[in-house]
Amino acid sequence: MGTYREGALQRDETFTILNENLDDLPIPRAEVVRWTGANGETVNGILHYPLDYDPDRAYPMMTVLHGGPSGVDLDAWSLGWTVYAPLLAQRGAFVFRPNYHGSGHHGLDFVESIKGRYYELEVPDIVSGIDSLAAAGVVDKDSLGVMGWSNGAILTTQLTIEHPELFQVAAPGAGDVNWTSDYGNCAFGVRFDRSYFKGPPWAYTEHYIEKSPLFEMPAVQTPTLIHHGTEDRAVPYEQGWEYYRALQQIGNAPVRFLSYPGEPHGLRQLSHQRRKVVEDLKWIDTYLFGETSMQERVSERLLADDAPLSLLETAGAPARTDGHHGVRANGTLVPETVTLGDTLTVGRFEVTRAQFRAYDADFEVPSGTAEYPAHGLAADRAQAYVDWLSEQTGRDYRLPTAAELAAFKAARAGPSENTPAYWAGFTPTPDEYRRLRARLAQHPTEALLMPVGSRPAGHGPNGGGPLVYDVDGNVAEWARTADGIEAQNASALTRTDPKAETAPTPPRRVTGLRIVLDR
């Protein structure tokens, strides 16, 4: 609490701290700046400083434009997916947030000053603000970027048209480029466009064309990253496509379009908000800071971090010995294990036929099937194998518990496992599962199983952890329960239907095992 007078807080006293975690985060210095804008009027904005600011040098700057147009940037704490000054300050950049003509909190005349002359006051306000900071020697005018959401994106686009050589990077989100189509598609297009563009497009056709950036897109040279939600009705999704298509076809500027499924005018899902910020920063890193190249960016975004191929390249390839999956221990082929988290060490694959034959020389392995999972095993044979494995290697192997196997499946089942759903080519209903199982049961086991690792690998949360395979498919696996040893998880013939009260018992012919190593 305190008294605010003439830009200074006096007799301040702290009553409570709402977020102590902010004390550990770098928060850039911010101040209100003023300059002479359009019509010779004083305009203000917020300027966030780079971290470790050195007054003896000039810095890059990102101009971040609020929406509305009657929104406003205040000298107050603000951090979100549209404005994240600390992340840009960490990269050594100023963040400039101007309150251009049309902004709120400056009186009705200021708000309505842009009606009938959209862009004519706002763009000069913003550019003169940038010029004033550059003239003061704090901003490098050769290292500028601009971004914004909604009306902030609309102005971002217009700035890159009117000043094509001023900005090195742009990241507009949910902005209009064609006011004629906006009139028909926007939920409030009639009200908004009649107010700001004099009237309907058939009465003011030339004015609508003059004010629509779409018809000036050949001027754009700035690398532009476009964001838009597919369900946006305030700035219709089609506006994003018109924007992208124009830049993509003209070819004078690098452009990328990110659409966000199911999102309205403001992004609601945290994953989409995070994706927007991450993509902005990568785009800015590339074109403003020069830290990456487009070749690197294309290679990076070709695959998601948790895509099976990405994981294969980063998590280590499965071990092979003499052409078989597994490793040697005391001269014996044994399953390779991987550690999940800090406590559970499990087989990367189900025990293969080649590995089981090392225990039982009479175990039948038809030609060409050594890498298929061992199956048709009774519970006592599965237990005998792990006992033998422990004796052979001097290490403590066992069957997993049902709880371990359930947690393992929930976290690490790969997509499209070898189950009835795979064979059907779609996700069946409970009744369809029953009918599929009946049809699959008519086929020989060899026709249904696959070599271990044939389907995409599973992995831990957020793509972390080692590659593991066939966690919920191919063959079911024996697990220890309170009642003994029971077959768990899905197989090529069965799948546990989450809506069913009881899960089908996997047939013996498609039941194998996976081992756990206690350390």
Side-chain angles (χ1 to χ4, degrees):
M1 186 181 74
T3 302
Y4 185 78
R5 288 180 180 170
E6 297 180 355
L9 188 64
Q10 303 171 359
R11 295 191 298 278
D12 58 303
E13 182 179 355
T14 300
F15 283 96
T16 185
I17 298 175
L18 298 179
N19 194 336
E20 294 181 352
N21 292 328
L22 292 178
D23 293 339
D24 300 325
L25 298 176
I27 299 176
R29 163 190 164 194
E31 66 181 22
V32 177
V33 292
R34 295 174 176 85
W35 65 96
T36 300
N39 293 338
E41 296 178 298
T42 298
V43 183
N44 66 59
I46 312 300
L47 183 66
H48 301 266
Y49 279 68
L51 298 181
D52 302 322
Y53 171 67
D54 178 358
D56 293 328
R57 56 157 293 195
Y59 287 83
M61 185 172 76
M62 284 297 300
T63 297
V64 182
L65 304 172
H66 67 71
S70 58
V72 64
D73 284 314
L74 302 175
D75 186 14
W77 169 252
S78 178
L79 182 65
W81 54 274
T82 58
V83 180
Y84 38 85
L87 298 182
L88 295 166
Q90 283 180 312
R91 284 164 160 75
F94 279 100
V95 176
F96 179 44
R97 299 164 62 193
N99 287 314
Y100 49 81
H101 275 80
S103 300
H105 288 55
H106 293 73
L108 184 60
D109 289 344
F110 195 80
V111 171
E112 296 193 336
S113 63
I114 64 173
K115 290 189 174 181
R117 47 180 178 168
Y118 220 72
Y119 306 115
E120 295 173 24
L121 304 181
E122 310 97 291
V123 170
D125 284 344
I126 297 163
V127 173
S128 60
I130 293 170
D131 286 341
S132 70
L133 293 170
V138 298
V139 169
D140 180 358
K141 203 171 177 181
D142 292 326
S143 300
L144 300 176
V146 61
M147 64 191 299
W149 194 266
S150 190
N151 196 69
I154 292 168
L155 291 176
T156 292
T157 305
Q158 189 67 17
L159 282 161
T160 63
I161 288 173
E162 294 190 30
H163 300 274
E165 297 181 357
L166 185 59
F167 300 99
Q168 281 67 55
V169 66
D176 285 282
V177 295
N178 185 348
W179 292 111
T180 301
S181 56
D182 177 84
Y183 186 93
N185 294 332
C186 172
F188 48 83
V190 172
R191 184 172 71 253
F192 185 93
D193 296 349
R194 281 177 180 262
S195 179
Y196 283 97
F197 299 103
K198 300 183 179 183
W202 49 86
Y204 296 91
T205 304
E206 292 301 320
H207 186 73
Y208 270 76
I209 293 174
E210 178 187 350
K211 296 299 180 182
S212 294
L214 180 69
F215 302 104
E216 301 293 335
M217 287 294 168
V220 177
Q221 302 175 23
T222 307
T224 303
L225 174 63
I226 303 167
H227 305 273
H228 223 118
T230 63
E231 303 306 311
D232 195 340
R233 294 294 177 266
V235 176
Y237 180 48
E238 294 78 14
Q239 294 288 327
W241 276 111
E242 290 188 56
Y243 193 178
Y244 170 75
R245 183 61 56 80
L247 293 183
Q248 182 261 340
Q249 288 294 307
I250 294 167
N252 290 340
V255 62
R256 188 178 182 211
F257 182 28
L258 291 176
S259 63
Y260 297 84
E263 292 286 13
H265 190 52
L267 303 183
R268 296 178 179 178
Q269 293 189 37
L270 290 176
S271 61
H272 289 162
Q273 294 174 3
R274 182 180 185 276
R275 176 72 183 277
K276 190 263 181 189
V277 174
V278 168
E279 293 290 348
D280 279 344
L281 292 175
K282 288 182 178 180
W283 195 257
I284 293 167
D285 283 344
T286 298
Y287 290 107
L288 186 62
F289 299 117
E291 293 186 1
T292 63
S293 67
M294 270 309 297
Q295 182 178 2
E296 290 170 324
R297 282 183 46 74
V298 169
S299 175
E300 184 178 277
R301 74 171 183 254
L302 182 62
L303 297 172
D305 291 342
D306 59 354
L309 181 55
S310 296
L311 291 167
L312 182 62
E313 293 172 346
T314 60
R320 297 186 74 90
T321 300
D322 297 333
H324 297 302
H325 287 300
V327 296
R328 289 281 180 191
N330 294 337
T332 300
L333 181 66
V334 301
E336 177 192 10
T337 58
V338 293
T339 300
L340 311 177
D342 298 324
T343 57
L344 186 61
T345 300
V346 302
R348 189 191 289 272
F349 302 104
E350 299 149 329
V351 173
T352 66
R353 295 176 182 177
Q355 292 164 359
F356 197 83
R357 187 168 57 180
Y359 156 68
D360 181 357
D362 295 328
F363 184 70
E364 185 177 355
V365 179
S367 177
T369 68
E371 304 311 304
Y372 280 65
H375 64 97
L377 305 177
D380 57 350
R381 290 195 77 198
Q383 182 61 55
Y385 172 78
V386 295
D387 291 342
W388 170 83
L389 198 60
S390 299
E391 181 179 333
Q392 183 73 19
T393 62
R395 309 177 78 181
D396 294 328
Y397 289 93
R398 60 176 173 83
L399 295 174
T401 67
E404 288 171 337
L405 211 54
F408 185 35
K409 177 184 77 171
R412 300 178 181 275
S416 305
E417 302 266 16
N418 181 11
T419 66
Y422 165 79
W423 292 103
F426 62 91
T427 302
T429 65
D431 182 62
E432 289 168 337
Y433 266 124
R434 289 189 290 272
R435 291 159 57 192
L436 274 170
R437 286 195 293 268
R439 290 184 61 172
L440 288 167
Q442 301 174 23
H443 295 274
T445 307
E446 295 299 320
L448 299 174
L449 297 184
M450 302 177 183
V452 297
S454 296
R455 306 304 302 152
H459 51 82
N462 300 318
L467 298 175
V468 288
Y469 296 81
D470 305 320
V471 177
D472 195 30
N474 216 9
V475 294
E477 301 170 12
W478 290 111
R480 295 183 298 164
T481 70
D483 298 323
I485 300 177
E486 298 179 3
Q488 304 281 315
N489 287 357
S491 71
L493 283 174
T494 58
R495 186 175 189 87
T496 302
D497 178 7
K499 298 180 181 179
E501 294 183 2
T502 58
T505 300
R508 174 79 61 80
R509 67 179 174 122
V510 287
T511 299
L513 75 154
R514 186 186 303 264
I515 53 89
V516 168
L517 173 62
D518 285 331
R519 297 193 172 207

